[in-house]
Amino acid sequence: MELGFPVSAPLPPKGNIRPGTLPGGKMAAVMHVRPYDQLPHAFHALQAFIEKQGLATTGIWYEMYANDPREVPPEQYQTLALIELK
């Protein structure tokens, strides 16, 4: 598992924490607006869409959280679900 956030300049490693970058490339994405425990449904729907389009994935997926769960109820959580395409 990797965690990340945007920074304006590269950060040095510290202890067990190692900096990295996300690769550029093609992605398929869907915005999921529901509680986090329902996120697998979004990835399954996205995978089905990808297959219907005749595309293939690398098997790498990402989640980007668009709002703060401390500020909105679970049914308003916004998560951008992405799957890397080959």
Side-chain angles (χ1 to χ4, degrees):
M1 174 185 283
E2 291 184 53
L3 302 173
F5 52 90
V7 295
S8 59
L11 299 173
K14 184 174 182 180
N16 291 332
I17 299 171
R18 302 284 181 253
T21 58
L22 293 177
K26 294 182 180 181
M27 298 279 201
V30 64
M31 178 61 79
H32 176 76
V33 183
R34 291 203 161 87
Y36 295 141
D37 64 353
Q38 295 178 19
L39 193 54
H41 300 292
F43 278 105
H44 288 125
L46 187 55
Q47 184 66 44
F49 172 80
I50 291 166
E51 291 172 6
K52 187 175 180 179
Q53 300 304 309
L55 301 171
T57 73
T58 64
I60 298 172
W61 53 275
Y62 301 94
E63 298 171 15
M64 294 183 181
Y65 305 102
N67 57 6
D68 188 336
R70 296 171 294 183
E71 297 175 1
V72 297
E75 49 283 341
Q76 293 179 12
Y77 291 173
Q78 296 177 0
T79 307
L80 185 61
L82 302 109
I83 299 177
E84 190 175 285
L85 300 175
K86 288 185 182 178

Coordinates of all heavy atoms in Angstrom, one line a residue:
M1 N 0.8 -1.2 0.0 CA 0.0 0.0 0.0 C 0.9 1.2 0.0 O 1.9 1.3 0.7 CB -0.9 0.0 1.2 CG -1.7 1.3 1.3 SD -2.7 1.4 2.8 CE -4.0 0.3 2.4
E2 N 0.5 2.2 -0.8 CA 1.2 3.5 -0.8 C 0.2 4.6 -0.5 O -1.0 4.5 -0.9 CB 1.8 3.8 -2.2 CG 2.9 2.9 -2.5 CD 3.5 3.3 -3.8 OE1 3.9 4.4 -4.0 OE2 3.7 2.4 -4.7
L3 N 0.6 5.6 0.2 CA -0.2 6.7 0.5 C 0.5 7.9 -0.1 O 1.7 7.9 -0.2 CB -0.3 6.9 2.0 CG -0.9 5.8 2.8 CD1 -0.9 6.1 4.3 CD2 -2.4 5.6 2.4
G4 N -0.2 8.9 -0.5 CA 0.4 10.0 -1.2 C -0.4 11.3 -1.1 O -1.6 11.3 -0.8
F5 N 0.2 12.3 -1.4 CA -0.4 13.6 -1.5 C 0.5 14.5 -2.4 O 1.7 14.3 -2.5 CB -0.6 14.3 -0.1 CG 0.6 14.3 0.8 CD1 1.5 15.4 0.7 CD2 0.9 13.2 1.6 CE1 2.7 15.4 1.5 CE2 2.1 13.2 2.4 CZ 3.0 14.3 2.3
P6 N -0.1 15.5 -3.0 CA 0.7 16.4 -3.9 C 1.7 17.3 -3.1 O 1.3 17.8 -2.0 CB -0.3 17.2 -4.7 CG -1.6 17.0 -4.0 CD -1.5 15.8 -3.1
V7 N 2.8 17.5 -3.6 CA 3.8 18.4 -3.0 C 4.4 19.3 -4.1 O 4.4 18.9 -5.3 CB 4.9 17.6 -2.3 CG1 4.4 16.8 -1.1 CG2 5.7 16.7 -3.2
S8 N 4.9 20.4 -3.7 CA 5.5 21.4 -4.7 C 6.9 21.0 -5.1 O 7.4 21.5 -6.1 CB 5.4 22.8 -4.1 OG 6.1 22.9 -2.9
A9 N 7.6 20.2 -4.2 CA 9.0 19.8 -4.5 C 9.2 18.4 -3.9 O 8.5 18.0 -3.0 CB 9.9 20.8 -3.9
P10 N 10.1 17.7 -4.5 CA 10.4 16.3 -4.0 C 10.8 16.4 -2.5 O 11.5 17.4 -2.1 CB 11.6 15.9 -4.8 CG 11.5 16.7 -6.1 CD 11.0 18.0 -5.7
L11 N 10.4 15.4 -1.7 CA 10.8 15.3 -0.3 C 11.8 14.3 -0.1 O 11.9 13.3 -0.8 CB 9.5 15.0 0.5 CG 8.4 16.0 0.5 CD1 7.1 15.4 1.2 CD2 8.8 17.3 1.1
P12 N 12.7 14.5 0.9 CA 13.7 13.5 1.2 C 13.1 12.3 2.0 O 12.1 12.5 2.6 CB 14.7 14.2 2.1 CG 13.9 15.3 2.8 CD 12.8 15.7 1.8
P13 N 13.7 11.1 1.9 CA 13.2 10.0 2.7 C 13.4 10.3 4.2 O 14.3 11.1 4.6 CB 14.1 8.8 2.3 CG 15.2 9.4 1.4 CD 14.9 10.8 1.1
K14 N 12.6 9.7 5.0 CA 12.7 9.9 6.4 C 12.3 8.6 7.1 O 11.1 8.2 7.0 CB 11.8 11.0 6.9 CG 12.0 11.3 8.4 CD 11.2 12.6 8.8 CE 11.4 12.8 10.3 NZ 10.7 14.0 10.7
G15 N 13.2 7.9 7.8 CA 12.9 6.6 8.4 C 12.4 5.6 7.4 O 13.1 5.4 6.4
N16 N 11.3 5.0 7.7 CA 10.7 4.0 6.7 C 9.9 4.6 5.6 O 9.4 3.9 4.8 CB 9.8 3.0 7.5 CG 10.6 2.1 8.4 OD1 11.8 1.8 8.2 ND2 10.0 1.7 9.5
I17 N 9.8 5.9 5.6 CA 9.0 6.6 4.6 C 9.9 7.0 3.4 O 11.0 7.6 3.5 CB 8.4 7.9 5.1 CG1 7.5 7.6 6.3 CG2 7.6 8.7 4.1 CD1 6.9 8.7 7.1
R18 N 9.5 6.5 2.2 CA 10.2 6.8 1.0 C 9.4 7.6 0.0 O 8.2 7.2 -0.2 CB 10.6 5.4 0.3 CG 11.4 4.5 1.2 CD 12.8 5.0 1.3 NE 13.6 4.1 2.1 CZ 14.1 4.4 3.3 NH1 13.8 5.5 3.8 NH2 14.8 3.5 4.0
P19 N 9.9 8.6 -0.6 CA 9.2 9.4 -1.6 C 9.0 8.6 -2.9 O 9.8 7.7 -3.2 CB 10.0 10.7 -1.8 CG 11.4 10.2 -1.4 CD 11.3 9.2 -0.4
G20 N 8.0 9.0 -3.6 CA 7.8 8.3 -4.9 C 7.0 9.2 -5.8 O 6.6 10.3 -5.4
T21 N 6.7 8.8 -7.0 CA 5.9 9.6 -7.9 C 4.9 8.6 -8.6 O 5.2 7.4 -8.7 CB 6.7 10.2 -9.0 OG1 7.5 9.2 -9.7 CG2 7.7 11.3 -8.4
L22 N 3.8 9.1 -9.0 CA 2.8 8.3 -9.7 C 3.2 8.4 -11.2 O 3.5 9.5 -11.7 CB 1.4 8.9 -9.5 CG 0.8 8.7 -8.1 CD1 -0.5 9.4 -8.1 CD2 0.7 7.3 -7.7
P23 N 3.2 7.3 -11.9 CA 3.5 7.3 -13.3 C 2.4 8.0 -14.1 O 1.2 8.0 -13.7 CB 3.6 5.8 -13.7 CG 2.7 5.2 -12.7 CD 2.8 6.0 -11.4
G24 N 2.8 8.6 -15.2 CA 1.8 9.1 -16.1 C 1.3 7.9 -17.0 O 1.8 6.8 -17.0
G25 N 0.2 8.2 -17.7 CA -0.3 7.1 -18.5 C -1.8 7.2 -18.6 O -2.5 8.1 -18.1
K26 N -2.4 6.2 -19.3 CA -3.8 6.1 -19.5 C -4.5 5.5 -18.2 O -4.0 4.5 -17.7 CB -4.2 5.2 -20.7 CG -3.7 5.9 -22.0 CD -4.1 5.0 -23.2 CE -3.6 5.6 -24.5 NZ -4.0 4.8 -25.6
M27 N -5.6 6.1 -17.9 CA -6.4 5.6 -16.7 C -7.9 5.6 -17.1 O -8.3 6.4 -18.0 CB -6.2 6.5 -15.5 CG -4.8 6.7 -15.0 SD -4.5 5.3 -13.9 CE -3.2 5.9 -13.0
A28 N -8.6 4.7 -16.5 CA -10.1 4.8 -16.5 C -10.5 5.2 -15.1 O -9.9 4.8 -14.1 CB -10.6 3.4 -16.9
A29 N -11.5 6.0 -15.0 CA -11.8 6.6 -13.7 C -13.4 6.7 -13.5 O -14.1 6.9 -14.5 CB -11.2 7.9 -13.5
V30 N -13.8 6.7 -12.3 CA -15.2 6.9 -12.0 C -15.2 7.6 -10.6 O -14.4 7.3 -9.7 CB -16.0 5.6 -11.9 CG1 -15.5 4.7 -10.9 CG2 -17.5 5.9 -11.8
M31 N -16.1 8.6 -10.4 CA -16.3 9.3 -9.2 C -17.3 8.5 -8.4 O -18.5 8.4 -8.8 CB -16.7 10.7 -9.3 CG -16.9 11.5 -8.0 SD -15.4 11.6 -6.9 CE -14.5 12.9 -7.7
H32 N -16.9 8.0 -7.2 CA -17.8 7.2 -6.3 C -18.3 8.2 -5.2 O -17.4 8.8 -4.5 CB -17.0 6.1 -5.7 CG -17.7 5.3 -4.7 ND1 -18.7 4.4 -5.1 CD2 -17.6 5.2 -3.4 CE1 -19.2 3.8 -4.0 NE2 -18.5 4.3 -3.0
V33 N -19.6 8.4 -5.1 CA -20.1 9.2 -4.0 C -21.0 8.4 -3.2 O -22.2 8.2 -3.4 CB -20.9 10.4 -4.6 CG1 -21.4 11.3 -3.5 CG2 -20.1 11.2 -5.6
R34 N -20.4 7.8 -2.2 CA -21.0 6.9 -1.2 C -20.0 6.6 -0.1 O -18.9 6.9 -0.2 CB -21.4 5.6 -1.9 CG -22.6 5.7 -2.9 CD -23.3 4.4 -3.1 NE -24.6 4.6 -3.7 CZ -24.8 4.7 -5.0 NH1 -23.8 4.6 -5.9 NH2 -26.0 4.9 -5.5
P35 N -20.4 5.8 0.9 CA -19.5 5.4 1.9 C -18.3 4.6 1.4 O -18.5 3.9 0.4 CB -20.4 4.6 2.9 CG -21.8 5.1 2.7 CD -21.8 5.4 1.2
Y36 N -17.2 4.7 2.1 CA -16.0 3.9 1.6 C -16.2 2.4 1.5 O -15.7 1.8 0.7 CB -14.8 4.2 2.6 CG -14.4 5.6 2.6 CD1 -14.0 6.2 3.8 CD2 -14.3 6.4 1.4 CE1 -13.6 7.5 3.8 CE2 -13.9 7.7 1.5 CZ -13.5 8.3 2.7 OH -13.1 9.6 2.7
D37 N -17.1 1.9 2.4 CA -17.3 0.4 2.3 C -18.0 -0.1 1.1 O -18.0 -1.3 0.8 CB -18.0 -0.1 3.6 CG -19.4 0.4 3.8 OD1 -19.8 1.2 3.0 OD2 -20.1 -0.1 4.7
Q38 N -18.5 0.9 0.3 CA -19.2 0.5 -1.0 C -18.3 0.7 -2.2 O -18.7 0.5 -3.3 CB -20.5 1.3 -1.1 CG -21.5 0.9 -0.1 CD -22.8 1.8 -0.2 OE1 -23.0 2.4 -1.2 NE2 -23.5 1.8 0.9
L39 N -17.0 1.1 -1.9 CA -16.1 1.4 -3.0 C -15.8 0.2 -3.9 O -15.6 0.4 -5.1 CB -14.8 2.0 -2.4 CG -13.8 2.6 -3.4 CD1 -14.5 3.7 -4.2 CD2 -12.6 3.2 -2.6
P40 N -15.8 -1.0 -3.4 CA -15.6 -2.1 -4.3 C -16.6 -2.2 -5.5 O -16.3 -2.6 -6.6 CB -15.7 -3.4 -3.4 CG -15.2 -2.9 -2.1 CD -15.8 -1.5 -2.0
H41 N -17.8 -1.7 -5.2 CA -18.8 -1.7 -6.3 C -18.4 -0.8 -7.4 O -18.6 -1.1 -8.6 CB -20.2 -1.2 -5.7 CG -20.7 -2.1 -4.7 ND1 -21.2 -3.4 -4.9 CD2 -20.9 -1.9 -3.4 CE1 -21.6 -3.9 -3.8 NE2 -21.4 -3.0 -2.8
A42 N -17.8 0.3 -7.1 CA -17.3 1.3 -8.1 C -16.2 0.6 -9.0 O -16.2 0.7 -10.2 CB -16.8 2.6 -7.5
F43 N -15.3 -0.1 -8.3 CA -14.2 -0.7 -9.0 C -14.7 -1.9 -9.9 O -14.2 -2.1 -11.0 CB -13.1 -1.2 -8.1 CG -12.1 -0.1 -7.7 CD1 -12.2 0.5 -6.5 CD2 -11.2 0.4 -8.6 CE1 -11.3 1.5 -6.1 CE2 -10.3 1.4 -8.3 CZ -10.4 1.9 -7.0
H44 N -15.7 -2.6 -9.4 CA -16.2 -3.7 -10.2 C -16.9 -3.1 -11.5 O -16.8 -3.6 -12.6 CB -17.2 -4.5 -9.4 CG -16.5 -5.4 -8.4 ND1 -16.8 -5.4 -7.1 CD2 -15.5 -6.3 -8.6 CE1 -16.1 -6.2 -6.4 NE2 -15.3 -6.8 -7.3
A45 N -17.7 -2.0 -11.3 CA -18.4 -1.4 -12.4 C -17.4 -0.8 -13.4 O -17.5 -1.0 -14.6 CB -19.3 -0.3 -11.9
L46 N -16.3 -0.2 -12.9 CA -15.3 0.3 -13.8 C -14.6 -0.8 -14.5 O -14.3 -0.7 -15.7 CB -14.3 1.1 -12.9 CG -13.2 1.9 -13.7 CD1 -13.8 2.9 -14.7 CD2 -12.4 2.7 -12.7
Q47 N -14.3 -1.9 -13.9 CA -13.6 -3.0 -14.5 C -14.5 -3.6 -15.6 O -14.1 -3.9 -16.7 CB -13.3 -4.1 -13.5 CG -12.5 -5.3 -14.1 CD -11.1 -4.9 -14.6 OE1 -10.4 -4.2 -13.9 NE2 -10.8 -5.4 -15.7
A48 N -15.8 -3.7 -15.4 CA -16.8 -4.2 -16.4 C -16.8 -3.2 -17.6 O -16.8 -3.7 -18.8 CB -18.2 -4.3 -15.8
F49 N -16.8 -1.9 -17.4 CA -16.7 -0.9 -18.4 C -15.5 -1.1 -19.3 O -15.5 -1.1 -20.5 CB -16.8 0.5 -17.9 CG -16.6 1.5 -18.9 CD1 -17.6 1.9 -19.8 CD2 -15.4 2.2 -19.0 CE1 -17.4 2.9 -20.7 CE2 -15.1 3.1 -20.0 CZ -16.2 3.5 -20.8
I50 N -14.3 -1.3 -18.6 CA -13.1 -1.4 -19.3 C -13.1 -2.6 -20.2 O -12.7 -2.6 -21.4 CB -11.9 -1.5 -18.3 CG1 -11.7 -0.2 -17.6 CG2 -10.6 -2.0 -18.9 CD1 -10.9 -0.2 -16.3
E51 N -13.6 -3.8 -19.7 CA -13.7 -5.0 -20.5 C -14.6 -4.8 -21.7 O -14.3 -5.3 -22.8 CB -14.1 -6.1 -19.6 CG -13.0 -6.5 -18.6 CD -13.5 -7.5 -17.6 OE1 -14.6 -8.1 -17.7 OE2 -12.7 -7.8 -16.6
K52 N -15.7 -4.1 -21.4 CA -16.7 -3.9 -22.5 C -16.1 -3.1 -23.7 O -16.4 -3.3 -24.8 CB -18.0 -3.2 -22.0 CG -19.1 -3.1 -23.0 CD -20.3 -2.5 -22.3 CE -21.4 -2.4 -23.4 NZ -22.6 -1.8 -22.8
Q53 N -15.2 -2.2 -23.3 CA -14.5 -1.4 -24.3 C -13.3 -2.1 -25.0 O -12.7 -1.6 -25.9 CB -13.9 -0.1 -23.6 CG -15.0 0.8 -23.0 CD -16.1 1.2 -23.9 OE1 -15.8 1.7 -25.0 NE2 -17.3 1.0 -23.6
G54 N -13.1 -3.4 -24.6 CA -12.0 -4.1 -25.2 C -10.6 -3.7 -24.7 O -9.6 -4.0 -25.4
L55 N -10.6 -3.1 -23.6 CA -9.3 -2.6 -23.0 C -8.8 -3.5 -22.0 O -9.5 -4.4 -21.5 CB -9.5 -1.2 -22.4 CG -10.0 -0.1 -23.4 CD1 -10.3 1.2 -22.6 CD2 -8.9 0.1 -24.5
A56 N -7.5 -3.4 -21.6 CA -6.9 -4.2 -20.6 C -6.2 -3.3 -19.5 O -5.9 -2.2 -19.8 CB -5.8 -5.1 -21.2
T57 N -6.1 -3.8 -18.3 CA -5.5 -3.0 -17.2 C -4.2 -3.6 -16.8 O -3.9 -4.8 -17.2 CB -6.4 -3.0 -16.0 OG1 -6.4 -4.3 -15.4 CG2 -7.8 -2.7 -16.3
T58 N -3.4 -2.8 -16.1 CA -2.2 -3.3 -15.5 C -2.4 -4.0 -14.2 O -1.5 -4.6 -13.7 CB -1.2 -2.1 -15.3 OG1 -1.8 -1.3 -14.3 CG2 -0.9 -1.4 -16.5
G59 N -3.6 -3.9 -13.7 CA -3.9 -4.4 -12.3 C -3.7 -3.4 -11.2 O -3.9 -3.7 -10.1
I60 N -3.1 -2.2 -11.6 CA -2.9 -1.2 -10.6 C -4.0 -0.3 -10.5 O -4.5 0.2 -11.5 CB -1.6 -0.5 -10.9 CG1 -0.4 -1.4 -10.9 CG2 -1.3 0.7 -9.9 CD1 0.9 -0.8 -11.5
W61 N -4.5 0.0 -9.3 CA -5.6 0.9 -9.1 C -5.3 1.9 -8.0 O -4.4 1.7 -7.2 CB -6.9 0.2 -8.8 CG -6.8 -0.8 -7.7 CD1 -6.4 -2.1 -7.7 CD2 -7.2 -0.6 -6.3 NE1 -6.5 -2.7 -6.5 CE2 -6.9 -1.8 -5.6 CE3 -7.7 0.5 -5.6 CZ2 -7.2 -1.9 -4.2 CZ3 -7.9 0.4 -4.3 CH2 -7.7 -0.8 -3.6
Y62 N -6.0 3.0 -8.1 CA -5.7 4.1 -7.1 C -7.1 4.6 -6.6 O -8.1 4.5 -7.2 CB -5.0 5.3 -7.8 CG -3.7 5.0 -8.4 CD1 -3.6 4.6 -9.8 CD2 -2.5 5.0 -7.7 CE1 -2.4 4.3 -10.4 CE2 -1.3 4.7 -8.3 CZ -1.2 4.4 -9.6 OH 0.0 4.1 -10.2
E63 N -7.0 5.3 -5.4 CA -8.2 5.9 -4.9 C -7.7 7.4 -4.5 O -6.6 7.5 -3.9 CB -8.6 5.3 -3.6 CG -9.1 3.8 -3.8 CD -9.4 3.1 -2.5 OE1 -9.5 3.8 -1.4 OE2 -9.5 1.9 -2.5
M64 N -8.5 8.3 -4.9 CA -8.2 9.7 -4.5 C -9.4 10.3 -3.8 O -10.5 10.2 -4.3 CB -7.8 10.6 -5.7 CG -6.6 10.1 -6.4 SD -6.2 11.2 -7.8 CE -4.7 10.5 -8.4
Y65 N -9.2 10.8 -2.6 CA -10.3 11.3 -1.8 C -10.5 12.8 -2.0 O -9.6 13.6 -1.8 CB -10.0 10.9 -0.3 CG -9.8 9.5 -0.2 CD1 -8.5 9.0 0.0 CD2 -10.8 8.5 -0.2 CE1 -8.2 7.6 0.1 CE2 -10.5 7.2 -0.1 CZ -9.2 6.7 0.0 OH -9.0 5.4 0.1
A66 N -11.7 13.1 -2.5 CA -12.0 14.5 -2.9 C -12.6 15.4 -1.8 O -12.6 16.6 -1.9 CB -13.0 14.5 -4.1
N67 N -13.0 14.8 -0.7 CA -13.5 15.6 0.4 C -13.1 15.0 1.8 O -12.5 13.9 1.8 CB -15.0 15.9 0.3 CG -15.8 14.6 0.3 OD1 -15.3 13.5 0.5 ND2 -17.1 14.8 0.1
D68 N -13.3 15.7 2.8 CA -12.9 15.3 4.1 C -14.0 14.6 4.9 O -15.0 15.2 5.1 CB -12.4 16.6 4.9 CG -11.8 16.3 6.2 OD1 -12.0 15.2 6.8 OD2 -11.0 17.2 6.7
P69 N -13.7 13.3 5.3 CA -14.8 12.5 6.0 C -15.1 13.1 7.3 O -16.2 12.7 7.9 CB -14.2 11.1 6.1 CG -12.7 11.3 6.0 CD -12.5 12.5 5.1
R70 N -14.3 14.0 7.8 CA -14.7 14.7 9.1 C -15.7 15.8 8.9 O -16.3 16.3 9.9 CB -13.4 15.3 9.8 CG -12.4 14.2 10.2 CD -11.1 14.8 10.6 NE -10.5 15.5 9.4 CZ -9.4 16.0 9.4 NH1 -8.6 16.1 10.5 NH2 -8.9 16.6 8.3
E71 N -15.9 16.2 7.6 CA -16.8 17.3 7.3 C -18.1 17.0 6.6 O -19.0 17.8 6.5 CB -16.0 18.3 6.5 CG -14.8 18.9 7.2 CD -14.0 19.8 6.3 OE1 -14.3 20.0 5.1 OE2 -13.0 20.3 6.8
V72 N -18.2 15.7 6.1 CA -19.4 15.3 5.4 C -19.9 14.0 5.9 O -19.0 13.2 6.4 CB -19.2 15.3 3.9 CG1 -18.9 16.7 3.3 CG2 -18.1 14.3 3.5
P73 N -21.2 13.7 5.8 CA -21.6 12.3 6.2 C -21.1 11.3 5.2 O -20.8 11.6 4.0 CB -23.1 12.5 6.2 CG -23.4 13.6 5.3 CD -22.3 14.5 5.4
P74 N -21.1 10.0 5.6 CA -20.6 8.9 4.7 C -21.2 8.9 3.4 O -20.6 8.6 2.4 CB -20.8 7.7 5.5 CG -20.8 8.1 7.0 CD -21.4 9.5 6.9
E75 N -22.5 9.1 3.3 CA -23.2 9.1 2.0 C -22.8 10.2 1.0 O -23.1 10.1 -0.2 CB -24.7 9.0 2.1 CG -25.4 10.0 3.0 CD -25.3 9.7 4.5 OE1 -25.0 8.6 4.9 OE2 -25.5 10.7 5.2
Q76 N -21.9 11.1 1.5 CA -21.4 12.2 0.6 C -19.9 12.1 0.4 O -19.3 12.9 -0.2 CB -21.7 13.5 1.2 CG -23.2 13.9 1.2 CD -23.5 15.2 1.8 OE1 -22.6 16.0 2.1 NE2 -24.8 15.5 2.1
Y77 N -19.3 11.0 0.9 CA -17.9 10.8 0.6 C -17.6 10.7 -0.9 O -18.3 10.0 -1.6 CB -17.3 9.5 1.3 CG -17.3 9.5 2.8 CD1 -17.0 8.3 3.4 CD2 -17.6 10.6 3.6 CE1 -16.9 8.2 4.8 CE2 -17.5 10.5 4.9 CZ -17.2 9.3 5.6 OH -17.1 9.2 6.9
Q78 N -16.6 11.4 -1.4 CA -16.3 11.4 -2.8 C -14.9 10.8 -3.0 O -13.9 11.3 -2.5 CB -16.3 12.9 -3.3 CG -17.6 13.5 -3.3 CD -17.6 15.0 -3.8 OE1 -16.5 15.5 -4.2 NE2 -18.7 15.6 -3.8
T79 N -14.9 9.7 -3.7 CA -13.6 9.0 -4.0 C -13.5 8.8 -5.5 O -14.4 8.3 -6.1 CB -13.6 7.6 -3.3 OG1 -13.9 7.8 -1.9 CG2 -12.3 7.0 -3.5
L80 N -12.4 9.3 -6.0 CA -12.1 9.1 -7.4 C -11.4 7.7 -7.5 O -10.3 7.5 -7.0 CB -11.2 10.2 -8.0 CG -10.9 10.1 -9.5 CD1 -12.2 10.2 -10.3 CD2 -10.0 11.2 -9.9
A81 N -12.1 6.7 -8.2 CA -11.5 5.4 -8.3 C -10.9 5.3 -9.7 O -11.5 5.6 -10.7 CB -12.6 4.4 -8.2
L82 N -9.6 4.9 -9.8 CA -8.9 4.9 -11.0 C -8.2 3.5 -11.2 O -7.7 2.9 -10.3 CB -7.8 6.0 -11.1 CG -8.2 7.4 -10.9 CD1 -7.7 7.9 -9.5 CD2 -7.6 8.2 -11.9
I83 N -8.2 3.1 -12.5 CA -7.5 1.8 -12.8 C -6.6 2.1 -14.0 O -7.0 2.7 -15.0 CB -8.5 0.7 -13.2 CG1 -9.4 0.4 -12.0 CG2 -7.7 -0.5 -13.7 CD1 -10.5 -0.7 -12.4
E84 N -5.3 1.8 -13.8 CA -4.3 2.0 -14.9 C -4.6 1.1 -16.1 O -4.8 -0.1 -15.9 CB -2.9 1.8 -14.3 CG -1.8 2.2 -15.1 CD -0.5 2.0 -14.4 OE1 -0.2 2.9 -13.5 OE2 0.2 1.1 -14.7
L85 N -4.5 1.6 -17.3 CA -4.7 0.8 -18.5 C -3.4 0.5 -19.1 O -2.4 1.3 -19.0 CB -5.6 1.6 -19.5 CG -7.0 2.0 -19.0 CD1 -7.7 2.9 -20.0 CD2 -7.8 0.8 -18.7
K86 N -3.4 -0.6 -19.8 CA -2.2 -1.0 -20.6 C -2.1 -0.2 -21.9 O -3.1 0.2 -22.4 CB -2.2 -2.5 -20.9 CG -2.0 -3.4 -19.7 CD -1.9 -4.8 -20.2 CE -1.7 -5.7 -19.0 NZ -1.7 -7.1 -19.3

